[in-house]
Amino acid sequence: DIQLTQSPSFLSASVGDRVTITCRASQGISSYLVWYQQKPGKAPQLLISAASTLHSGVPSRFSGSGSGTEFTLTISSLQPEDFATYYCQQVNGYPFTFGPGTEVDIK
Amino acid sequence: QLQLQESGPGLVKPSETLSLTCTVSGGSLSSNTYSWGWVRQPPGKGLQWIGNIYYSGTIYYAPSLKSRLTISVDTPNNHVSLKLSSVTAADTAVYYCGRLGSSLQLTDWGQGTLVTVSS
């Protein structure tokens, strides 16, 4: 199975900060990487697919980059509604796997 | 836009079979153009991929669940089903269904349903 790690696991930031979350894969997955946002008690929501394609309706302050084994999710200017947990998922090979998540909290 | 809603018993006894339905509205499964995925989340923990069923009929399961798991599409009733047999407390989780997009991402999600395994 392809293992995903995320760093940091927890991040405390202020409104307006630039935030970067890293997702690393145990083997190369080309650009088959998805990012989701999940708020407490809610279903995850798609942010980015294919490593860098912003889902329709997602604010442009979110961006994704990377390929192979290292990927990043960047929020250019953190907004109050962005405080949530972020998960990466690889869809390169079965079984699909998720990263452990990064919780973004208010400083 | 598709709307998805999971339903099923909130409480299942150990060793019994968990049966969930994902009802789809805003689109017809008979069009055979949709693919679906299931994900679960134990309380306080991260997301776990369960399986995918493609419009072609191909199905992939998580290896840890494969021997107990069945995912199917009920076209006449416009829903996607999940059955997990011989459940234990470790299967306690919120179960989500979702529609797969062209890059295998879960584009649309149901709100999730909590299933507790307990006697």
Side-chain angles (χ1 to χ4, degrees):
Chain A
D1 299 3
I2 298 171
Q3 308 299 321
L4 297 179
T5 58
Q6 289 184 234
S7 58
S9 54
F10 180 84
L11 186 160
S12 187
S14 300
V15 172
D17 283 353
R18 181 181 181 88
V19 167
T20 298
I21 298 168
T22 299
C23 177
R24 291 186 174 88
S26 59
Q27 63 190 73
I29 58 170
S30 185
S31 296
Y32 292 97
L33 196 283
V34 185
W35 290 99
Y36 300 97
Q37 176 194 67
Q38 186 180 34
K39 296 180 180 179
K42 301 292 188 182
Q45 291 189 302
L46 175 65
L47 293 176
I48 288 169
S49 61
S52 60
T53 301
L54 199 65
H55 181 53
S56 175
V58 174
S60 59
R61 62 181 179 273
F62 290 91
S63 64
S65 65
S67 67
T69 61
E70 186 157 329
F71 302 84
T72 59
L73 172 69
T74 299
I75 309 172
S76 60
S77 177
L78 198 66
Q79 298 301 301
E81 61 268 30
D82 301 338
F83 293 95
T85 299
Y86 294 84
Y87 294 94
C88 57
Q89 181 197 24
Q90 67 81 19
V91 294
N92 179 73
Y94 294 98
F96 289 177
T97 47
F98 286 92
T102 295
E103 183 180 351
V104 178
D105 203 352
I106 303 172
K107 184 183 284 185
Chain B
Q1 184 176 347
L2 290 180
Q3 307 260 349
L4 288 70
Q5 182 157 340
E6 305 88 347
S7 59
L11 181 65
V12 181
K13 290 183 168 54
S15 79
E16 294 188 342
T17 295
L18 179 167
S19 295
L20 297 176
T21 296
C22 174
T23 300
V24 180
S25 57
S28 172
L29 271 60
S30 61
S31 67
N32 272 347
T33 58
Y34 297 119
S35 297
W36 309 96
W38 286 92
V39 171
R40 70 181 183 180
Q41 186 170 35
K45 297 190 178 180
L47 302 172
Q48 179 184 13
W49 180 77
I50 294 174
N52 290 351
I53 182 167
Y54 293 91
Y55 65 87
S56 61
T58 301
I59 307 172
Y60 294 94
Y61 296 135
S64 61
L65 300 174
K66 186 174 182 179
S67 64
R68 302 189 289 129
L69 182 61
T70 302
I71 295 175
S72 61
V73 173
D74 183 342
T75 300
N77 291 305
N78 228 45
H79 67 233
V80 185
S81 296
L82 178 150
K83 294 186 189 300
L84 184 65
S85 64
S86 305
V87 297
T88 70
D91 296 311
T92 293
V94 175
Y95 286 75
Y96 297 100
C97 65
R99 179 181 70 86
L100 290 170
S102 59
S103 297
L104 305 180
Q105 75 279 22
L106 283 165
T107 302
D108 302 300
W109 293 68
Q111 85 283 358
T113 188
L114 174 63
V115 178
T116 301
V117 179
S118 175
S119 55

